[in-house]
Amino acid sequence: MILDIKDLSVGFHTYRGDVNAVRGVSLSVDEGEIVGIVGESGCGKSVTIHAVMGLLPQENAFIKSGSITLLGENITNISEKDFQKYRGSSMSMIFQDPMTSLNPVLTIGKQMTEGLIRVRGVSGQAARSEAIDLLTRVGITKAAERMNCYPHEFSGGMRQRVMIAMALICRPKILFADEPTTALDVTIQAQILELLSELRRDMKMSIVLVSHDLGVIAGICDKVNVMYAGRIVEHGSAREIFHNPRHPYTQGLLASLPRVDLPADEELPVINGQPPDLLYDIQGCSFVPRCRKAMKVCCECLPEKQCVGDKHSVECWLPVRDSKGGAQYE
């Protein structure tokens, strides 16, 4: 196993109090897998992977409980100096916005070779040669010339490819891709996803893909984690999640997707209401105020994780009700 997160909780100190951004998240990533984390904005997707990478803001973020194990080593509360031993060589990240993630005053070549020189101790010339090869591999034409260019001379799609190349330059065991297709048109999106799949196979690398786009998740992931209000409410294979969703939130997300087999003027279903304020403790299921199937027990008790299929689990009382008749839960 490459990554194992168990019962991870992350909070942020604010002037109003502590915000519980991630509340007991558990997930695992095996070698060569692409694991998706999907959910609406603010559900804790990016915070989870930033915690793994050791990139939480030091001034107000803190890990309340849980553990993060990478390649058999517990990295939950290690120092920044120790984190630098893992970043690049063992794990790397494609950040959310390629337009702002690259340094505007440094050439692409400088930014590409920095990791190789610092992490692997490669000489400048060897690092440049390897960077050119990798830029070519991710689809950058005339890579040797492009090494001397600045980020503003690249299009959005090209910058995203540079970000992918930078993340892969030290050949990490696991790659975190945080919304890697944000702000890209659908043609470039498809190219980026195909590129990630190819690199996963060629480099035998695991990928954690964070997105709010269910189409992106369905097209590339082996396993899917559906996240809501800081918790993973449903987990399973991509096939199980998309063909047999069991949590009302997952069902609502899938129902809101446009479909070509429906009339163009038909309104899409929506999930009414707003996510809960994570500044306050949530006693029962966090989805209760927006759930049309909510029962009394949902308001009183946090649902236990229920296995509803082969490697398919859900945090919901409905499977329990369905299996026991439901009368005592109404």
Side-chain angles (χ1 to χ4, degrees):
M1 185 178 295
I2 301 295
L3 176 67
D4 186 25
I5 302 174
K6 290 185 178 178
D7 198 29
L8 179 67
S9 295
V10 180
F12 291 88
H13 299 301
T14 73
Y15 71 94
R16 295 177 58 201
D18 291 348
V19 174
N20 304 304
V22 174
R23 305 181 300 122
V25 164
S26 297
L27 64 88
S28 61
V29 183
D30 292 326
E31 184 176 354
E33 276 189 331
I34 300 183
V35 176
I37 305 177
V38 65
E40 59 193 291
S41 297
C43 70
K45 307 185 299 296
S46 296
V47 173
T48 300
I49 62 172
H50 277 76
V52 178
M53 289 288 297
L55 296 176
L56 294 172
Q58 296 182 1
E59 61 272 12
N60 69 331
F62 61 98
I63 293 178
K64 299 176 64 177
S65 62
S67 64
I68 304 169
T69 304
L70 178 70
L71 300 172
E73 299 287 337
N74 190 325
I75 63 169
T76 311
N77 291 304
I78 62 175
S79 65
E80 172 60 24
K81 183 178 180 180
D82 289 331
F83 259 119
Q84 292 178 13
K85 300 175 184 177
Y86 293 97
R87 295 194 197 109
S89 57
S90 298
M91 58 181 176
S92 192
M93 185 170 176
I94 303 172
F95 292 94
Q96 187 165 354
D97 188 358
M99 303 297 181
T100 59
S101 297
L102 294 170
N103 192 323
V105 300
L106 297 179
T107 64
I108 296 300
K110 176 68 174 177
Q111 296 181 66
M112 282 288 297
T113 57
E114 181 181 16
L116 276 176
I117 295 171
R118 293 187 59 184
V119 175
R120 288 172 46 189
V122 178
S123 67
Q125 187 58 43
R128 180 177 176 83
S129 177
E130 193 165 340
I132 291 172
D133 289 342
L134 190 52
L135 284 175
T136 302
R137 192 172 182 182
V138 299
I140 300 294
T141 58
K142 299 180 180 179
E145 298 178 16
R146 296 286 189 177
M147 289 280 285
N148 300 317
C149 295
Y150 289 87
H152 72 270
E153 299 178 73
F154 285 66
S155 66
M158 290 175 66
R159 281 187 242 188
Q160 191 63 287
R161 290 172 187 269
V162 170
M163 287 295 300
I164 293 173
M166 287 177 62
L168 299 177
I169 194 74
C170 294
R171 300 186 176 276
K173 296 293 184 181
I174 184 170
L175 173 69
F176 297 97
D178 189 2
E179 303 277 9
T181 57
T182 297
L184 301 180
D185 62 63
V186 291
T187 304
I188 301 299
Q189 281 188 20
Q191 293 176 2
I192 294 298
L193 295 177
E194 183 179 357
L195 174 62
L196 288 175
S197 296
E198 290 177 359
L199 293 171
R200 183 269 297 258
R201 291 191 299 268
D202 295 345
M203 303 176 69
K204 297 180 181 179
M205 175 181 61
S206 302
I207 298 176
V208 176
L209 177 63
V210 172
S211 181
H212 63 272
D213 190 328
L214 289 168
V216 169
I217 294 292
I220 192 175
C221 291
D222 302 310
K223 297 190 303 189
V224 180
N225 297 276
V226 181
M227 202 164 181
Y228 181 78
R231 293 190 66 85
I232 292 178
V233 296
E234 188 163 6
H235 162 81
S237 67
R239 181 176 181 82
E240 281 286 327
I241 294 296
F242 284 93
H243 291 277
N244 186 30
R246 299 298 297 273
H247 196 282
Y249 178 62
T250 310
Q251 294 169 353
L253 288 178
L254 293 172
S256 64
L257 289 175
R259 293 174 50 178
V260 296
D261 58 340
L262 295 178
D265 59 348
E266 183 171 328
E267 291 187 7
L268 290 173
V270 297
I271 302 176
N272 294 316
Q274 298 291 329
D277 189 343
L278 298 181
L279 185 68
Y280 306 102
D281 291 333
I282 300 172
Q283 183 175 1
C285 175
S286 55
F287 192 60
V288 164
R290 309 174 72 183
C291 182
R292 299 177 181 178
K293 303 177 182 179
M295 304 172 290
K296 182 179 180 180
V297 69
C298 302
C299 303
E300 299 173 347
C301 303
L302 179 69
E304 296 179 1
K305 184 177 292 185
Q306 310 293 330
C307 291
V308 291
D310 184 26
K311 297 181 180 180
H312 184 187
S313 61
V314 59
E315 281 193 358
C316 185
W317 288 111
L318 287 173
V320 179
R321 182 199 64 178
D322 294 341
S323 65
K324 295 184 179 182
Q328 66 270 43
Y329 294 104
E330 297 295 344

